[in-house]
Amino acid sequence: MPEERPFKELSGNLEGSLCRPQRSKWKRRSSCSGGLDTENTPHELIQQWSPPHKKILTSAKGNENEEHIFVLARRPRKRRESSAGMCWDSLPDELLLGILSRLSLQDLLRTSRVCKRWHRLAFDESLWHSVDLVGKAQLDAELGQVLSAGALRLRCPHTCIAQPRFKSAQKLRVQHLDLSNCTVESSVLEDILSRCRHLQNLSLEGLVLSDSIIHSLVQNTEIVRLNLCGCSDFSPESLAEMLKSCTGIEEMNVSWCDFNNLHIQAIVNNIPSSITQLNISGYRQNLTMEDVKAIVNRCPNLTNLDLSDSVLVTVDSFPVLQQLSSLRHLALSRCYQIPPASLIDFEKFLNLQTLEVFGLIQDSYLPILCKGLPHIQINTQPFSTVARPTSASRKDRTLWGMHCSLVYKH
């Protein structure tokens, strides 16, 4: 068992903030270890199901016993436990943990108030390894407590985050973290990420960052997927340092950030060769043909590339992109320097599976192009899925394809 933490406060705070205002389904009861009839059973059912009481026999022979009535009664027998009436306390921890693992977050917090043993089991790290807080509009101290409970996966996008109030300087175990489009101060975000050392998947989409936050990512060299779509307020130097340190990144989304040409050069010159999926769309005049060539040279194993909304990308990019033998998905939407008639040249891309060219062709021309490129699906994905935790086309609650077992139900 992991080291016991002060979860009394966690239970109280989370109970008040995450549980709906309704009466608890779990009632306090006394310990069953004594083996007597101490279960919290309704008295009406006891009277209904119990056999009738035997009549009390009295003896009143003779005048000498009139003032002293003797009562004859049997001593009550200790109840024998049957399999149908087995006490909860007789169940092993492993079985109770299996039962608790099927509860929602609110119900798990309620069970933690039953007794000391259930409190200990309710906050076992095995139950808190993956938490989904989608639908919780406000997170304060409970966020720090959930992370301190040992969560490996945490999903809480579109949430207003105040001060997590970590009780100690301990490092967090979290590996997969989705904070997309949260309302959070950069200082609070820095406090969270500075405690992380084992991040593998991270989404900070739409957040205002800082150089200190980017420097915190340098300490997480195991990052595989990184989503910085729409982020701002960090320098090209910190971006370059992060890319030099995180050499194992496979998917990266840096589209539509508040970048200038120096940021683009930091990416182009330092992007790790391990990248297989890259979204670098939305940079209008800042992404040049030379940048495209540099990306292709540094990342020869690209399978998914999104260069949309880059008006300097021309037809001359086709021979360069053809060097990517593993390329399966390509997006060139709104690259207006590419004439529609030239798209037929993608018949030379024998391994290409999908091509997004929204804004380049009219709907009337799409059937003709599809007929000329029968092996390619055209304009089927208006939104990029690169490094994003949950695809916009899916309605499930997965986190990079992984399910969270402990779910907040609203």
Side-chain angles (χ1 to χ4, degrees):
M1 283 292 175
E3 182 182 354
E4 184 175 358
R5 297 188 176 92
F7 286 122
K8 183 176 181 180
E9 181 181 355
L10 171 57
S11 176
N13 290 345
L14 291 179
E15 177 74 16
S17 58
L18 296 181
C19 296
R20 291 177 290 183
Q22 61 184 15
R23 293 191 62 184
S24 174
K25 298 185 291 184
W26 303 92
K27 301 192 176 191
R28 294 179 181 271
R29 58 176 177 81
S30 58
S31 174
C32 299
S33 58
L36 297 177
D37 289 326
T38 56
E39 288 187 299
N40 193 13
T41 308
H43 294 289
E44 297 82 0
L45 296 182
I46 293 179
Q47 296 175 1
Q48 180 181 352
W49 292 347
S50 301
H53 293 288
K54 291 186 177 181
K55 184 177 181 180
I56 299 177
L57 301 178
T58 62
S59 175
K61 293 182 180 181
N63 295 331
E64 68 277 6
N65 294 325
E66 289 181 357
E67 296 180 0
H68 304 283
I69 300 177
F70 296 93
V71 179
L72 303 179
R74 288 185 177 182
R75 181 179 297 174
R77 292 182 178 180
K78 182 180 291 187
R79 180 175 61 86
R80 295 180 179 178
E81 292 185 354
S82 62
S83 59
M86 182 175 293
C87 178
W88 280 93
D89 279 359
S90 64
L91 297 179
D93 287 357
E94 293 77 8
L95 186 55
L96 281 175
L97 285 172
I99 297 173
L100 296 178
S101 66
R102 297 181 177 275
L103 300 180
S104 68
L105 178 58
Q106 293 94 320
D107 288 339
L108 181 63
L109 294 174
R110 293 185 182 108
T111 62
S112 69
R113 303 173 64 184
V114 172
C115 62
K116 289 183 178 180
R117 184 190 179 207
W118 283 30
H119 185 274
R120 172 177 58 84
L121 293 176
F123 289 103
D124 187 88
E125 285 187 352
S126 64
L127 301 179
W128 293 82
H129 65 85
S130 57
V131 184
D132 187 342
L133 296 179
V134 171
K136 188 70 177 69
Q138 177 78 27
L139 286 174
D140 299 312
E142 59 267 23
L143 176 60
Q145 293 164 344
V146 167
L147 288 171
S148 299
L152 297 178
R153 300 196 291 265
L154 178 60
R155 182 171 182 250
C156 55
H158 306 281
T159 301
C160 183
I161 300 175
Q163 288 291 338
R165 299 176 188 171
F166 293 101
K167 296 300 181 182
S168 66
Q170 66 175 348
K171 302 305 178 184
L172 304 178
R173 300 176 63 231
V174 63
Q175 298 176 357
H176 316 282
L177 183 59
D178 180 12
L179 300 176
S180 303
N181 298 294
C182 286
T183 302
V184 56
E185 294 290 337
S186 58
S187 59
V188 173
L189 188 59
E190 180 183 348
D191 186 25
I192 296 174
L193 295 179
S194 64
R195 300 169 185 269
C196 300
R197 294 293 185 274
H198 307 289
L199 287 172
Q200 297 179 14
N201 298 312
L202 176 64
S203 179
L204 303 175
E205 181 168 343
L207 303 186
V208 177
L209 307 183
S210 66
D211 285 349
S212 298
I213 293 175
I214 299 300
H215 287 312
S216 297
L217 301 184
V218 173
Q219 305 170 7
N220 294 267
T221 58
E222 302 175 5
I223 291 182
V224 176
R225 299 181 183 91
L226 180 61
N227 180 19
L228 299 179
C229 173
C231 292
S232 60
D233 283 15
F234 56 96
S235 66
E237 292 77 16
S238 61
L239 178 60
E241 181 184 357
M242 185 269 293
L243 292 175
K244 290 177 182 178
S245 300
C246 302
T247 57
I249 298 179
E250 296 179 4
E251 298 183 27
M252 185 169 69
N253 190 333
V254 288
S255 60
W256 295 99
C257 295
D258 185 19
F259 283 176
N260 55 34
N261 183 259
L262 295 179
H263 288 87
I264 299 299
Q265 295 305 310
I267 296 174
V268 168
N269 296 325
N270 298 282
I271 187 171
S273 60
S274 58
I275 291 282
T276 59
Q277 299 189 44
L278 175 64
N279 186 345
I280 191 171
S281 61
Y283 293 111
R284 307 292 183 179
Q285 305 284 340
N286 288 324
L287 186 70
T288 66
M289 283 295 302
E290 293 301 320
D291 297 332
V292 174
K293 294 178 182 179
I295 291 174
V296 170
N297 290 332
R298 291 187 64 91
C299 306
N301 299 317
L302 279 172
T303 62
N304 190 333
L305 179 60
D306 192 338
L307 301 174
S308 300
D309 298 281
S310 301
V311 296
L312 298 184
V313 175
T314 66
V315 179
D316 295 335
S317 64
F318 291 4
V320 177
L321 297 174
Q322 199 170 358
Q323 299 175 21
L324 299 172
S325 59
S326 301
L327 189 62
R328 299 291 184 272
H329 311 281
L330 177 63
L332 297 172
S333 299
R334 295 169 297 279
C335 294
Y336 295 116
Q337 295 293 328
I338 300 177
S342 65
L343 297 178
I344 196 64
D345 292 343
F346 281 103
E347 64 181 358
K348 301 175 183 178
F349 291 67
L350 301 180
N351 295 322
L352 193 63
Q353 298 176 357
T354 62
L355 176 63
E356 314 304 331
V357 285
F358 291 97
L360 295 187
I361 59 174
Q362 298 179 356
D363 293 341
S364 59
Y365 181 67
L366 183 58
I368 300 175
L369 183 60
C370 292
K371 186 176 181 180
L373 303 173
H375 66 290
I376 301 177
Q377 297 182 6
I378 303 176
N379 288 358
T380 58
Q381 297 180 358
F383 302 104
S384 173
T385 61
V386 175
R388 284 195 163 119
T390 304
S391 173
S393 61
R394 299 182 61 173
K395 301 301 181 182
D396 56 16
R397 301 171 71 105
T398 59
L399 184 68
W400 288 286
M402 300 172 287
H403 287 274
C404 292
S405 57
L406 192 56
V407 177
Y408 172 80
K409 293 184 178 180
H410 54 91

